[in-house]
Amino acid sequence: MLFFRCIASKYVITSVDAIYKRNFRFADSYLAIMHAQVKYTIYSPMTFEFETLPDEIILQVCSYLCSSDVLYSFFDLNTRINTTIEGYYRYVNLLGSSYKAFHYVVSYVLPRIGSSVRSFVLNGNWKSVLPETISTILYGTQFVEMVPNLERLILKWFTCEQLSMFLDNLRGLSQLYVIDLVFLKGQSTNDLLAKILRANGDQIKIITFDSDCIYLDVPEKNEFSIYPNIEELIINIYAGLDEILYKFLPMIPNVRVLHINDGPLSIFTNFAETCQNIAPLVHLVDFQLTSAQRFYWTLDKILDILILMPSLKKLAIFVKTTDYRLVKGNSFQASLPSSITELHLSIRYYDHENDNTYFDMDEIMASWVDYYPIICLPYKSNDEVLLFTIPSHVRTLKIPGYLDFTQANASCSNFQHIEHISIAELPSLAQLYNIIQHFRYLKALVINTSTNPETCIFDSIIYQLRANYFISIF
């Protein structure tokens, strides 16, 4: 058995078994050293001090532990170890830690390394189960005082009410410029988005909502509803495009990157006229529109929006359409502004005008040869097709289970950006394998099993998707 002796003023650790008493996962450090393929010749009963190992070996051990376990196991053993693990002070993520480690890190370690913390992950679900002393540190004004140099804050599984209360205390962090929201839940209020955009005294420049966050209402338009601080925004909005364009875009005049996932409303009253009455977003260079609505987009409406973006370089469009021009590469490319140098598409095309005629997929694919590589996947009906530019830059994909990926060059590398898939109308377990084998980088999978009892057997699927953090079956 490999023996360590870690000498510190407070801890003396003489074996892997003793290390287990402080952190049961720390015994994996033995495996870490073996995997690092660093060979030591050890003659029993010789022992050696853990802190005499090279920094590279200690950090290799740390790579097998989560952030909180590293801080729990190694912090304050001695000055040299503290220096070695300084990188873990900068990016603190307490997800997945045991209660004992969590309590120790929050109450003892964080107050001592707070000035070094640059990125912090905070879970809203913790608040209901933590003692008041710990909850006050993480969710009250003490948090701001503890991490004065924080640059990025990741907020996961907050309710809208929790988030609103937390933002009330988020003031005075001069270095904080990024807020990432993951799985925001609950009922949105009219003022919540405005409060997010004004967080930390109007100093936030980048705000992102992941695809699992709820849709937010557009803030009321008034003399205070201008947010010049926002430069990058990825957001889910519960509004029609008229309202987004007329009310929301003028609120963020300096935005450079804008990704909009519009909600279940789509009212296009006087759409072209609305666009003409809006000041252009002269700084915008990256625009993405994801529309999961039942509304069918046309090329004309997309071009109306692009008029507002004279400096646009990167365009991503993920929509449904009945307009053949959107899937015909030569006509679509010819219509785009010359400033656009990068294009990403995911378009579900319905050929409803020719219900009894199978449209020519070869013609569609040939029209893109001179512009971008694409994949066309036919639906089970003869009048529908799903078109991707590849490699696909979609992060969230909603597809029917009967899509035939075998008919296209659906290499895994073409879908490496896709992290979340929702599959509806899954006909069989075999078809599920046919789909997911092309998506090696999944983090979330949602499956509608339809009424087929065969698709209720998912033990082997979960084994195949062991890297996923979320699987939902309904």
Side-chain angles (χ1 to χ4, degrees), residues 234-370:
I234 300 175
I235 188 169
N236 308 325
I237 292 188
Y238 187 86
L241 259 295
D242 278 9
E243 187 178 8
I244 291 174
L245 294 172
Y246 180 71
K247 289 179 62 176
F248 187 61
L249 292 191
M251 297 179 182
I252 47 174
N254 297 324
V255 68
R256 295 185 301 104
V257 177
L258 178 62
H259 295 185
I260 293 178
N261 185 5
D262 67 320
L265 300 178
S266 235
I267 303 172
F268 286 92
T269 307
N270 300 321
F271 189 77
E273 181 180 343
T274 299
C275 293
Q276 292 174 2
N277 295 326
I278 299 172
L281 298 172
V282 295
H283 303 287
L284 187 63
V285 295
D286 181 343
F287 177 66
Q288 176 176 307
L289 173 65
T290 302
S291 180
Q293 311 187 36
R294 295 181 179 178
F295 175 81
Y296 299 128
W297 283 79
T298 65
L299 178 60
D300 294 331
K301 284 185 167 52
I302 289 175
L303 295 179
D304 286 338
I305 295 177
L306 297 184
I307 292 174
L308 304 175
M309 308 168 184
S311 304
L312 193 65
K313 295 181 179 180
K314 181 179 178 180
L315 174 64
I317 300 174
F318 313 130
V319 298
K320 300 175 182 178
T321 187
T322 57
D323 189 342
Y324 190 60
R325 294 173 298 170
L326 278 176
V327 294
K328 195 74 181 297
N330 44 16
S331 60
F332 187 29
Q333 185 68 26
S335 304
L336 293 178
S338 59
S339 63
I340 296 176
T341 58
E342 187 176 345
L343 178 66
H344 303 284
L345 299 176
S346 174
I347 297 178
R348 184 172 178 177
Y349 171 66
Y350 299 78
D351 187 19
H352 287 309
E353 294 183 359
N354 300 291
D355 290 335
N356 298 318
T357 305
Y358 184 82
F359 57 86
D360 192 345
M361 281 208 349
D362 291 336
E363 179 183 281
I364 292 176
M365 297 189 70
S367 69
W368 289 94
V369 168
D370 296 331

Side-chain angles (χ1 to χ4, degrees), residues 4-6 26 48-53 58 74 80-81:
F4 302 97
R5 187 169 71 250
C6 297
F26 187 76
F48 64 89
E49 296 178 350
F50 176 76
E51 64 265 28
T52 63
L53 290 173
I58 293 176
F74 295 120
R80 183 251 169 156
I81 297 295

Side-chain angles (χ1 to χ4, degrees), residues 49-66:
E49 296 178 350
F50 176 76
E51 64 265 28
T52 63
L53 290 173
D55 287 353
E56 292 81 2
I57 301 301
I58 293 176
L59 291 174
Q60 181 68 23
V61 171
C62 292
S63 70
Y64 281 78
L65 305 173
C66 66

Side-chain angles (χ1 to χ4, degrees), residues 92-103:
V92 178
N93 183 351
L94 302 181
L95 297 178
S97 61
S98 65
Y99 179 80
K100 184 177 180 181
F102 182 93
H103 190 283

Side-chain angles (χ1 to χ4, degrees), residues 186-240:
Q187 184 66 42
S188 174
T189 57
N190 291 333
D191 64 339
L192 181 59
L193 181 54
K195 183 174 286 191
I196 295 170
L197 297 174
R198 288 207 179 280
N200 195 37
D202 294 349
Q203 294 190 64
I204 306 299
K205 295 181 179 181
I206 301 173
I207 298 175
T208 69
F209 296 78
D210 84 330
S211 59
D212 291 314
C213 288
I214 64 166
Y215 289 86
L216 299 177
D217 296 317
V218 174
E220 290 300 322
K221 195 173 183 179
N222 55 53
E223 64 272 22
F224 304 108
S225 58
I226 302 294
Y227 311 97
N229 52 300
I230 301 300
E231 296 181 5
E232 295 187 22
L233 181 63
I234 300 175
I235 188 169
N236 308 325
I237 292 188
Y238 187 86

